[in-house]
Amino acid sequence: MSLADQLQAAASSGQLLAASYDNIRALLAASDNPLYRSSIEELATAGQWAELNDRFFQALKFGTGGLRGRTVGKIVTKAERGSAPEDQRPEHPCVGTNAMNFYNVSRATRGLVTYLKNFRANAKLSGKPSLVFAHDTRHFSAEFAKFCAKIAMDHGANVYLFDYCRATPEMSFAVRQLRADAGVMITASHNPAHDNGYKVNFNDGAGIVEPHATGIIKEVNAIKGEEYTALPEAERGKLTTLADDMDQKYLARVETMMLQPELLQKEEAKKLKIVFTALHGAGGVLVPVLLKKLGFNFLTVPEQDVRDGRFPTVKSPNPENASALQMAVDLANKEGADIIIGTDPDCDRMGVGVRDAKGEMVLLTGNQVGSLMAWYRTKTMFDLGILNAENKSHSVLLKTFVTSPMQDAIAAKFGVGCVNTLTGFKWISAKLSKYEAALPADIQSRYRDLNNVESRNARLKHSKFLIFGGEESYGYMGDDFSRDKDGNGAVVMFAELAAYAASLGLTVAGLLDQVYCEVGYFLERNESKVFEGASGAAQIAKLADSYGSNPPKEVDGSAVIKVRDFRKDEITDEEGDVVLKEKMLFVDLADGRSFAVRPSGTEPKIKYYMFGRSVPAAGQSLSADELTAAKAKVTEGLASMWAWLDKDIDARLAS
């Protein structure tokens, strides 16, 4: 039976989705690449229709952040494996319209360049558009970056390409420094090893928002094939390689995020020992350089210094997961280290572990780390006179709606602003663009060239100064010279916090308890349900829609007192700006607990965020005994809430 007959029969029997059938036929008609036909034939002959559906049920969607998907299939075909050994990366990326491969990154780059040309023309800007391309250590990341750079140049764009793997925040910084029109990071951040992605930041260095997101998506989706004709050589763009010079400029700014370098002269802080792991990723490029230059006492996990897209020592290179940091914990226990720090493959997220009162290593959540750093940086800026009664109204903490309300409480304690945004650092960065745009024109024109003190003074006088920005998913920002979450900067900020605690004779865990006593005990619990492939996407959509059409009236024995449906309600933030619509529902209960639910924008899962708290009366603090009791009660309350929600999920999917 021919391949065409096999596909037709499978489509007729319902084994192959209609969309998959159409996409397979379109790909084979548009390309004569033998890899495509060989892989499809192998899967069809073996009756692997579920695999073909996952690969072809849609064209990989260029969303508001770019592309993300599997670059290694669940089943690797012989054609994809090529000459690569079984324990190594396949020779070729996953074949499919719904996969991260050369076909899709070609479409993305051509659509992006087209949009940038139109944008520049409408803005009456002369010259060629320019793009920065960077990549992490994932499978095919380096190849995709070089491939995309060539395509962009063939289509008339100048390209800046990093010579080796780098962190996402450095790509953002480079876009701003070079006045580029956009930046592309080839990464899937903290996703499993089989994924990769194509992350786009615009000319402000931040993730794309409207109207650029819709405009780019339209241009990308208009491109169906992978064949193109390059412009005449004289009209093509030129290539500039980025290397140590850009690293040094970026490092110089990251170093300024340390507020009190003199802490490291104190004997207690000198004894502080740090274990750092890059989890086989780009964090290994600059984090050790930073820690050494600033004078921290640290060591790395040798096995995880190796930059390897298989991430062979971990199940998943996500510093949110305890298993990913286990080797760092083991080394810390062996060497008597006080804290562990890990960054994800593109070094925009950071996870940490600290010693508790018993001397055992415990992992802090992203909410706990963010709240601690927000507290420390706010307090220290007042102590140093950077912030005062006269200018504090011009300062702000930025966080997402699903990040701990403990940070709202910290802001209230110090009398500074706190603004909540939608999930995703691009929304935090959008606020920074707003604050930059509020500066006088003469300052705006040279803003990117100001040093950290000049920049801070300008914002405190004329606009809003960012004290700290963070989101619960382990992303943090301490300044606005880069417009993305920054694992390099986060390591510096957290290491300083640990040195501060040590200078007081405290562990980080002990310092966190002191802050809890000041502002109240806040606890968050995040859970998710994973639904992969074509059928999974339908389940996620059904579940998300059910909350909008049938929100709960009671949860775990407590009445629902407020529902915020971000899909349809008009919601404004603390500055009066209207929040864009998103598939998220926020539910507040009468007993003080709350939860939010939203589909992930980057992974095949739907996420649940649960919040509990126990706060002292106004003007009071929690005693040590009250804090112990609060921890037990709030923890139990969130466990009970999740048990209820978990059952409710099954009921909603079954209806």
Side-chain angles (χ1 to χ4, degrees), residues 200-226:
V200 180
N201 290 30
F202 208 62
N203 59 13
D204 60 349
I208 52 174
V209 295
E210 299 299 349
H212 310 303
T214 296
I216 295 170
I217 290 168
K218 179 181 177 182
E219 296 294 347
V220 173
N221 290 342
I223 298 172
K224 304 302 180 185
E226 59 186 336

Side-chain angles (χ1 to χ4, degrees), residues 7 11 13 91 201 220 269 316 334 336 357 432 453 468 477 484:
L7 296 173
S13 67
E91 186 176 349
N201 290 30
V220 173
S316 182
K334 177 183 176 183
L432 298 179
V453 176
F468 180 78
M477 173 187 282
D484 223 317

Side-chain angles (χ1 to χ4, degrees), residues 277-293:
T277 175
L279 297 179
H280 304 285
V285 177
L286 294 183
V287 169
V289 175
L290 277 163
L291 290 175
K292 183 177 181 180
K293 190 170 184 181

Side-chain angles (χ1 to χ4, degrees), residues 76 81 83-90:
V76 177
R81 171 63 56 195
S83 60
E86 287 290 331
D87 64 343
Q88 298 294 315
R89 187 205 79 180

Side-chain angles (χ1 to χ4, degrees), residues 208-352:
I208 52 174
V209 295
E210 299 299 349
H212 310 303
T214 296
I216 295 170
I217 290 168
K218 179 181 177 182
E219 296 294 347
V220 173
N221 290 342
I223 298 172
K224 304 302 180 185
E226 59 186 336
E227 300 298 324
Y228 69 85
T229 300
L231 291 172
E233 190 167 349
E235 298 176 31
R236 297 176 198 171
K238 68 176 183 178
L239 175 67
T240 301
T241 301
L242 300 180
D244 184 65
D245 183 58
M246 186 58 67
D247 291 344
Q248 295 307 313
K249 292 177 181 177
Y250 170 68
L251 283 169
R253 290 307 296 262
V254 175
E255 288 174 38
T256 66
M257 293 167 72
M258 189 169 181
L259 299 175
Q260 300 187 92
E262 65 275 9
L263 282 172
L264 295 179
Q265 302 307 311
K266 296 190 176 184
E267 198 59 38
E268 299 88 351
K270 285 182 180 179
K271 295 177 182 177
L272 182 74
K273 185 181 287 188
I274 300 168
V275 169
F276 170 72
T277 175
L279 297 179
H280 304 285
V285 177
L286 294 183
V287 169
V289 175
L290 277 163
L291 290 175
K292 183 177 181 180
K293 190 170 184 181
L294 291 169
F296 288 100
N297 179 17
F298 76 99
L299 61 158
T300 64
V301 180
E303 301 90 337
Q304 295 177 330
D305 288 339
V306 179
R307 291 156 199 163
D308 186 342
R310 295 174 302 155
F311 310 116
T313 64
V314 296
K315 182 178 179 181
S316 182
N318 186 349
E320 297 181 40
N321 299 335
S323 59
L325 298 178
Q326 188 58 52
M327 291 185 75
V329 171
D330 293 342
L331 183 59
N333 288 335
K334 177 183 176 183
E335 298 291 337
D338 304 282
I339 65 173
I340 62 166
I341 301 177
T343 53
D344 65 345
D346 67 322
C347 195
D348 65 350
R349 284 176 167 84
M350 177 193 73
V352 304

Side-chain angles (χ1 to χ4, degrees), residues 590-609:
D591 62 9
R593 291 178 296 171
S594 58
F595 77 91
V597 56
R598 59 176 286 274
S600 170
T602 57
E603 298 173 274
K605 62 175 62 172
I606 187 165
K607 294 185 173 184
Y608 291 80
Y609 309 81

Side-chain angles (χ1 to χ4, degrees), residues 14-32:
Q15 293 174 293
L16 187 64
L17 296 173
S20 301
Y21 178 63
D22 291 341
N23 285 332
I24 291 172
R25 293 179 67 206
L27 179 67
L28 293 175
S31 175
D32 57 3

